[in-house]
Amino acid sequence: MAPCARDTKVSTRYGQQAELKEQNQYLMTANEELQKNLSETQHRVAELELQYSDLQKENAEVQKNLKDCHALLVAANIDPVLGESVGDAARQNEDQRKEVMSVSSDLLSELKAFGDIASQQRARLEEIQATMRDLKEAREQMIQERENFSLEAAEMERALKEAEALLL
């Protein structure tokens, strides 16, 4: 081979080796970073698992306290929502029911009394209307009698004038 071709071959091989060395160095750096990230992630996972374990213990304690409190509330006959004694709430409901019944009874009594008064007033109104009808009929009859009397008087006066005229 010619010396020029050989130099080219060596130079190409040297270039490839340098490129491979550079890539290898890059991969080593990337691997170190990945190892570092993996280590940090594993450390973080271990911390989170510890926190999770602590939270589970705390949750178990809270649940136990909640059950204990509920048992105490039930034993003391206290409503857990209202915070009042169940007996007090029942008494208040009974008192309210009695008050409503009393007010209802009073209202019914007043309504009955009003109905009685309304019936009496209606009977009086009907009596007054009947009296008014009777008075109206009597008035019409009186007017008719007056007209008849006036007609008879006019007829008698005419007959009297005729009789006078015949006498004269």
Side-chain angles (χ1 to χ4, degrees), residues 85-147:
S85 173
V86 174
D88 290 345
R91 275 191 296 283
Q92 285 176 348
N93 286 343
E94 182 62 24
D95 291 346
Q96 287 174 348
R97 187 190 69 74
K98 286 179 182 177
E99 185 177 339
V100 166
M101 292 301 290
S102 173
V103 168
S104 295
S105 177
D106 292 347
L107 286 174
L108 286 173
S109 297
E110 287 180 29
L111 186 59
K112 185 180 180 321
F114 177 77
D116 293 344
I117 291 172
S119 294
Q120 292 171 356
Q121 294 292 331
R122 182 177 198 157
R124 277 195 219 153
L125 179 62
E126 287 173 354
E127 287 175 17
I128 291 171
Q129 285 176 336
T131 303
M132 292 296 290
R133 259 193 316 273
D134 292 345
L135 287 174
K136 185 177 178 183
E137 288 173 7
R139 183 174 173 254
E140 287 175 0
Q141 187 177 3
M142 188 182 249
I143 290 172
Q144 187 65 42
E145 286 177 6
R146 187 187 293 164
E147 284 179 13

Side-chain angles (χ1 to χ4, degrees), residues 24-36:
N24 191 26
Q25 185 66 32
Y26 173 75
L27 288 174
M28 294 281 274
T29 304
N31 190 25
E32 286 175 10
E33 279 186 45
L34 287 174
Q35 286 295 329
K36 182 181 170 188

Side-chain angles (χ1 to χ4, degrees), residues 51-67:
Q51 286 178 351
Y52 178 72
S53 175
D54 291 344
L55 287 174
Q56 279 185 324
K57 288 176 188 174
E58 189 177 331
N59 187 29
E61 287 177 27
V62 168
Q63 290 295 326
K64 182 185 177 299
N65 286 341
L66 184 62
K67 286 179 184 178

Side-chain angles (χ1 to χ4, degrees), residues 7-34:
D7 284 340
T8 307
K9 223 181 198 186
V10 170
S11 130
T12 304
R13 187 184 299 164
Y14 179 71
Q16 287 175 345
Q17 283 179 349
E19 190 177 316
L20 285 174
K21 190 175 182 181
E22 187 179 311
Q23 284 179 353
N24 191 26
Q25 185 66 32
Y26 173 75
L27 288 174
M28 294 281 274
T29 304
N31 190 25
E32 286 175 10
E33 279 186 45
L34 287 174

